Amino acid sequence: MAHAEDAEYANEPLEFQSAEGRNNILGFWIFIGAEFALFSTLFATYFVLVNRTVGGVSAGHLFALDLVLIMTFLLLTSSFTCGLAIHAMRSGKVKQMINWMILTLILGLGFVGFEIYEFWHYAHEGATLSTSAFWSAFFVLLGTHGLHVSVGIGWITLLLIQVKRRGFTPRTTSKVFIASLYWHFLDVIWIFIFTGVYLMGLGGL
């Protein structure tokens, strides 16, 4: 029965051709929904506490647009290269997919590096997790996103090792496709952070 059902998906991309792959992808969309709920809570907390600086250093004094633009460029470009990796995977080009994913990881590492520098710079200027309610909310929101990006880097690295050893199979391709969804999700969250945190902060809102 399962084989007959799978035969109906024979013309679909490899990651959708097995019932396990389709179920895993569906399950991951549900997980993404839970992640949206998590970040919605963090955003709500941030906006409630956005002006609670107790007279201390504010976002407008520390946020630097050039640094944020570099981080945005790195992460959004990594989403583009991740898409190219999936295109290569669906074309059956293992080496090309791995190369695009490695470039995605390099861009992701660059983003994490700049974020660590940003946190260090803010701490040096007197803005830490305990400085005020605003900075607590800021570091928790940004730190949670940065932690997700770091987890994604480790996850994709392990998947590339699997693909290198086993090649493209319904199982490995569904894993890579799911990881790409995760990576694009993090980019969407970053767009909200860029707009709601940095641009509004620089505008004094």
Side-chain angles (χ1 to χ4, degrees):
M1 184 66 181
H3 294 297
E5 182 183 347
D6 291 347
E8 297 178 8
Y9 294 87
N11 294 323
E12 297 293 324
L14 193 56
E15 65 269 22
F16 288 101
Q17 290 185 11
S18 71
E20 180 184 1
R22 294 191 297 276
N23 289 335
N24 288 342
I25 292 168
L26 175 61
F28 192 76
W29 277 113
I30 297 172
F31 171 76
I32 289 289
E35 289 287 272
F36 262 116
L38 168 65
F39 277 101
S40 295
T41 302
L42 295 178
F43 273 110
T45 303
Y46 175 83
F47 286 117
V48 167
L49 302 175
V50 70
N51 292 318
R52 306 293 193 273
T53 59
V54 292
V57 62
S58 65
H61 287 102
L62 290 188
F63 285 176
L65 185 60
D66 53 350
L67 177 62
V68 178
L69 286 176
I70 292 173
M71 295 165 65
T72 302
F73 173 79
L74 289 173
L75 202 57
L76 296 188
T77 303
S78 75
S79 193
F80 177 69
T81 58
C82 185
L84 292 176
I86 296 302
H87 178 72
M89 182 180 77
R90 290 179 171 173
S91 301
K93 298 175 181 177
V94 175
K95 185 176 180 181
Q96 194 175 100
M97 187 282 283
I98 291 176
N99 288 340
W100 281 121
M101 273 302 189
I102 289 175
L103 182 57
T104 299
L105 295 178
I106 292 172
L107 292 167
L109 283 170
F111 171 84
V112 173
F114 275 105
E115 188 160 67
I116 291 173
Y117 166 76
E118 179 189 36
F119 285 7
W120 173 86
H121 173 67
Y122 290 169
H124 185 72
E125 295 294 327
T128 65
L129 195 65
S130 59
T131 299
S132 65
F134 165 74
W135 286 109
S136 295
F138 171 85
F139 282 115
V140 170
L141 173 59
L142 272 291
T144 301
H145 178 267
L147 178 62
H148 277 64
V149 174
S150 301
V151 169
I153 291 171
W155 182 15
I156 292 174
T157 300
L158 294 176
L159 290 180
L160 292 183
I161 295 172
Q162 284 191 17
V163 171
K164 182 69 175 177
R165 291 178 175 174
R166 304 173 187 174
F168 289 150
T169 67
R171 174 169 290 187
T172 58
T173 53
S174 68
K175 289 180 179 178
V176 172
F177 181 70
I178 287 171
S180 75
L181 293 178
Y182 180 78
W183 199 260
H184 293 312
F185 162 75
L186 296 177
D187 280 353
V188 171
I189 295 299
W190 180 256
I191 291 172
F192 282 109
I193 290 175
F194 175 75
T195 305
V197 175
Y198 288 108
L199 291 187
M200 292 180 69
L202 286 167
L205 300 177

